[in-house]
Amino acid sequence: MSADHATTDHPVVDAVFETVASTAPEVRESLVGRRSYEEGENPSGEQQLEADIFADQLFEEALLALEGVGSYASEERDDVVEADEQSDEDYHLALDPLDGSSNVKSNNAMGTIVAVFDEPLPAGGDALVAAGYVLYGPLTTMVVACDEQVSEYTVVDGERTVNEDELTLPEEPTVYGFGGRVPEWTDDFAGYVGLVEDELKLRYGGAMIGDVNQVLTYGGVFGYPGLRHRSEGKLRLLFEGIPIAAIVEAAGGRSSDGDGSLLKKTPEALHERTPVFVGNDEFVERLELALE
Ligand code: F6P
């Protein structure tokens, strides 16, 4: 391992993120020629691209081969896949292999989200050991949060190099992005958005990782709210909500499902959804007050 790498006190966590970094270029290259939809849907009822399935298979093979990884769950699969050999000390991984994959059609940013738990899945924020994501933007970057420290890396040829080893949210926030169609927003949420619009600038790209990365870079708030006809919202607690909450909270921000930290929640089912809000403390606090 090169001295360029900010590592953690958890060798298996380091191996997981080394492997994610070394797999990322292949995922990126695989997008060429895999922009069409498959016949089936993922367990959340969304259309799967060939690229979703390919990325899922690549990560599953590479990560389950690591010693100390006991199981792999993914947004693209119904059930958890267990490693051939099991131990009580194992870590358990939850991945969204290609977050925001509908952006492949318009060639916009996408990501891979990785959550590392020390309990079998589904597990909650109290069992989370580390979380991270790869952002496939103009550059490939990776952000990892572990032991309350957030590091950002640039990934080139599968190797990661540290850009910033104590990433924190800027104190003067400037951007916001909220998902869901406006007529589907509740009146309380729409009222809150009105306040946010007076202070921040809209930046919404339609891939959570791209949108959250902007909030981490410029400060602000990202959210996908509960909707009038779908109060649980769109995003998945295990694969999206908990890992992103862990990263933003470790960077000095706050997360919420509208009521309290996403890290206090434990999914009852692998593919459970939740409203998700992350960002600078003051904006998430005001959101909770608006939804009270
Ligand atoms: O969960 C998939 C996802 O693509 C997220 O990455 C993103 O935040 C959201 O859906 C975008 O949804 P919409 O197209 O409704 O804005």
Side-chain angles (χ1 to χ4, degrees), residues 133-185:
Y133 63 78
V134 176
L135 172 61
Y136 308 99
L139 312 176
T140 304
T141 53
M142 180 159 82
V143 168
V144 178
C146 190
D147 296 332
E148 296 307 308
Q149 183 177 341
V150 186
S151 307
E152 189 199 53
Y153 308 83
T154 306
V155 178
V156 177
D157 295 335
E159 291 287 324
R160 54 179 175 149
T161 310
V162 178
N163 288 334
E164 172 65 66
D165 60 8
E166 285 196 31
L167 194 72
T168 52
L169 271 174
E171 282 173 16
E172 292 189 14
T174 56
V175 300
Y176 75 92
F178 299 125
R181 293 179 60 242
V182 177
E184 281 291 303
W185 289 352

Side-chain angles (χ1 to χ4, degrees), residues 36-51:
S36 60
Y37 284 100
E38 293 279 300
E39 293 272 299
E41 292 177 336
N42 72 15
S44 302
E46 289 157 356
Q47 276 192 296
Q48 282 177 305
L49 283 155
E50 283 179 55

Side-chain angles (χ1 to χ4, degrees), residues 46 75 96 99-102 179-180 204 206-209 211 222 224 234-236 240:
E46 289 157 356
E75 203 176 286
D96 184 353
D99 171 70
S101 57
S102 62
Y204 188 73
M208 188 185 73
I209 287 306
D211 293 325
F222 164 82
Y224 206 110
K234 180 178 186 189
L235 303 181
R236 263 68 31 149
E240 293 165 312

Side-chain angles (χ1 to χ4, degrees), residues 178-281:
F178 299 125
R181 293 179 60 242
V182 177
E184 281 291 303
W185 289 352
T186 63
D187 292 341
D188 287 345
F189 182 68
Y192 165 74
V193 177
L195 300 176
V196 172
E197 281 171 338
D198 285 342
E199 294 179 44
L200 305 179
K201 180 170 62 170
L202 173 62
R203 286 282 185 92
Y204 188 73
M208 188 185 73
I209 287 306
D211 293 325
V212 168
N213 197 69
Q214 297 202 79
V215 168
L216 276 175
T217 308
Y218 300 118
V221 58
F222 164 82
Y224 206 110
L227 303 173
R228 285 184 195 278
H229 295 100
R230 193 155 84 175
S231 58
E232 69 280 20
K234 180 178 186 189
L235 303 181
R236 263 68 31 149
L237 178 58
L238 182 67
F239 302 107
E240 293 165 312
I242 289 175
I244 289 309
I247 294 166
V248 174
E249 288 195 19
R254 184 162 168 162
S255 80
S256 181
D257 64 352
D259 190 32
S261 169
L262 287 158
L263 296 181
K264 296 215 168 81
K265 298 183 78 167
T266 301
E268 282 171 22
L270 275 184
H271 296 276
E272 187 174 313
R273 298 177 197 261
T274 179
V276 169
F277 304 96
V278 290
N280 286 70
D281 210 74

